[in-house]
Amino acid sequence: MNAAPPVRLVSVEGLCKVYPTRHGAVKALDDISFQIAPGETLALVGESGCGKSTLASALLGLVKFDLGTIEIGGNVVTAHLHGTTMPPRRDVGVVFQNPHSSLDPRMKVRSIVGEPLSGILGMRREAVTRRAGELLSQVGLGADYLNRYPHQLSGGQMQRVAIARALALEPQLLVLDEPTAALDVSVQAQILKLLKALQAKSNVSYLFITHDLGVVDYIAHRVAVMYLGRIVESGSVAEVFADPRHPYTRALLDAVPVIDPRRRRQSPPLDGEVPSPLNRLPGCAFAPRCLRATAECRAVPPELYEEEPGERAYACFHPCYTLSKSPQ
Ligand SMILES: Nc1ncnc2c1ncn2[C@@H]1O[C@H](COP(=O)(O)OP(=O)(O)OP(=O)(O)O)[C@@H](O)[C@H]1O
Ligand SMILES: [Mg+2]
């Protein structure tokens, strides 16, 4: 008997996005493919400028992409279908890093959370207030917050309001673009805990963008590591963090400060700048910073290779192995 195929909520295939700029074309997304299952959190990590927010915007229908398809809950968007206007995606919610700029300072919390309910669902005022109160209670805020303005809230409370708003239309997917990066560590922990609890209750999926690998470890089931517009490694967090294959993933993990002095670094610190996305070199984009790079790496871009179908994947001709597994 054949096993049932894994259920996918999100399936992205061959996504490419180029920004034309005065200085030339910036390839922000270069053949990106991944899946997210219902109730799963995929973390997206990588240095500044590698294309994380562009990918988030493409999923939200906020930027047009040039090639590829995005399927969310059976609803497929292909590159060539994108006209000048895109339909708003109701099935995807979003929370950005900075609630100070994402929440309208002139609106009360009631309107911020209730706007999608009245604007898109056409709910009436009393129903909106009732539902907004319920949404606030889901994120741990009392109904008395309905009458407050954003400036009367702390950073953590603002982010709770942003999450309540993102959940208003009961999306199947929430895109979280560094949602805790601007918060104090203790508040960050509370928000992460809340997000986990919300997921356990509703089975919503998360695409969670962060620079913080500690956050990935806590919140995510799977992780995709991006470098200059490409996914260079992906897999379960447990597997990738315990035994990274790509030298870039290894360098990112080694850059995390550890309290335990017995844990030795496996590779030297990540040196040098990310190469310019304008002058792409022919081979692996990481080769100029990689100690394992050979002539082959500098000439040919490595494809993403799956160890097992649907399992961890990496794009490297000279992957790292722990000593016990080393084939050499
Ligand atoms: N509207 C735009 N026009 C031109 N180039 C852009 C635009 N938006 C992003 N880019 C470029 O695309 C690349 C990817 O940017 P993006 O914002 O997606 O990166 P990121 O991984 O989210 O970075 P960060 O971690 O700093 O938020 C960068 O080189 C950036 O300069
Ligand atoms: Mg970004």
Side-chain angles (χ1 to χ4, degrees):
M1 199 175 77
N2 288 335
V7 186
R8 304 280 184 228
L9 173 71
V10 180
S11 183
V12 171
E13 289 298 330
L15 206 64
C16 294
K17 168 70 188 170
V18 173
Y19 290 111
T21 71
R22 277 194 302 139
H23 308 287
V26 172
K27 210 169 196 180
L29 301 177
D30 185 2
D31 197 13
I32 296 284
S33 301
F34 62 87
Q35 281 90 33
I36 309 177
E40 184 177 59
T41 299
L42 174 69
L44 198 58
V45 302
E47 280 162 294
S48 187
C50 70
K52 304 180 298 293
S53 294
T54 300
L55 181 54
S57 302
L59 283 179
L60 290 160
L62 300 175
V63 300
K64 287 198 269 179
F65 47 96
D66 307 311
L67 277 176
T69 57
I70 297 176
E71 180 178 344
I72 301 172
N75 176 355
V76 184
V77 182
T78 53
H80 69 275
L81 283 181
H82 275 175
T84 42
T85 55
M86 277 184 275
R89 288 213 80 127
R90 295 180 189 185
D91 48 354
V92 186
V94 62
V95 179
F96 294 107
Q97 173 176 348
N98 191 346
H100 294 274
S101 52
S102 63
L103 303 185
D104 189 332
R106 294 159 305 179
M107 283 164 77
K108 285 187 177 173
V109 168
R110 175 201 313 273
S111 307
I112 292 172
V113 176
E115 196 185 39
L117 302 170
S118 53
I120 294 179
L121 299 185
M123 279 168 69
R124 309 196 63 128
R125 194 180 151 80
E126 305 78 61
V128 168
T129 301
R130 199 171 46 245
R131 181 73 186 123
E134 285 168 12
L135 286 160
L136 282 189
S137 116
Q138 278 183 31
V139 298
L141 295 176
D144 49 319
Y145 282 83
L146 285 170
N147 288 319
R148 298 205 193 177
Y149 287 96
H151 75 266
Q152 295 170 314
L153 306 175
S154 70
Q157 289 165 346
M158 276 197 238
Q159 216 47 331
R160 285 175 192 266
V161 169
I163 294 167
R165 179 190 163 94
L167 292 173
L169 298 177
E170 299 181 19
Q172 294 174 285
L173 173 70
L174 217 55
V175 172
L176 302 138
D177 195 348
E178 308 202 42
T180 56
L183 304 174
D184 290 348
V185 176
S186 60
V187 181
Q188 191 177 69
Q190 292 164 14
I191 298 290
L192 293 173
K193 200 170 153 198
L194 168 69
L195 287 168
K196 256 195 178 182
L198 288 169
Q199 185 175 60
K201 229 188 266 173
S202 70
N203 215 34
V204 62
S205 301
Y206 295 149
L207 177 71
F208 198 108
I209 297 174
T210 178
H211 283 101
D212 188 331
L213 299 185
V215 169
V216 175
D217 200 24
Y218 177 77
I219 197 110
H221 303 99
R222 283 166 53 245
V223 59
V225 181
M226 281 183 77
Y227 193 79
L228 266 188
R230 305 200 78 160
I231 291 177
V232 295
E233 178 154 11
S234 65
S236 76
V237 172
E239 225 174 8
V240 172
F241 278 21
D243 194 12
R245 290 281 186 262
H246 200 286
Y248 178 59
T249 315
R250 179 157 287 206
L252 283 182
L253 284 163
D254 275 350
V256 178
V258 280
I259 295 165
D260 183 354
R262 290 163 303 180
R263 217 187 101 183
R264 284 190 301 121
R265 305 181 74 91
Q266 308 251 9
S267 60
L270 200 50
D271 247 348
E273 297 284 309
V274 180
S276 161
L278 287 167
N279 309 308
R280 295 288 282 261
L281 301 165
C284 172
F286 187 58
R289 301 168 83 188
C290 182
L291 289 180
R292 304 168 83 94
T294 59
E296 183 187 25
C297 306
R298 284 182 272 272
V300 187
E303 296 289 321
L304 207 54
Y305 162 78
E306 280 184 353
E307 284 188 342
E308 299 280 339
E311 294 296 314
R312 87 138 86 191
Y314 50 87
C316 181
F317 294 125
H318 309 289
C320 314
Y321 290 89
T322 54
L323 288 177
S324 59
K325 280 192 186 168
S326 172
Q328 288 128 30

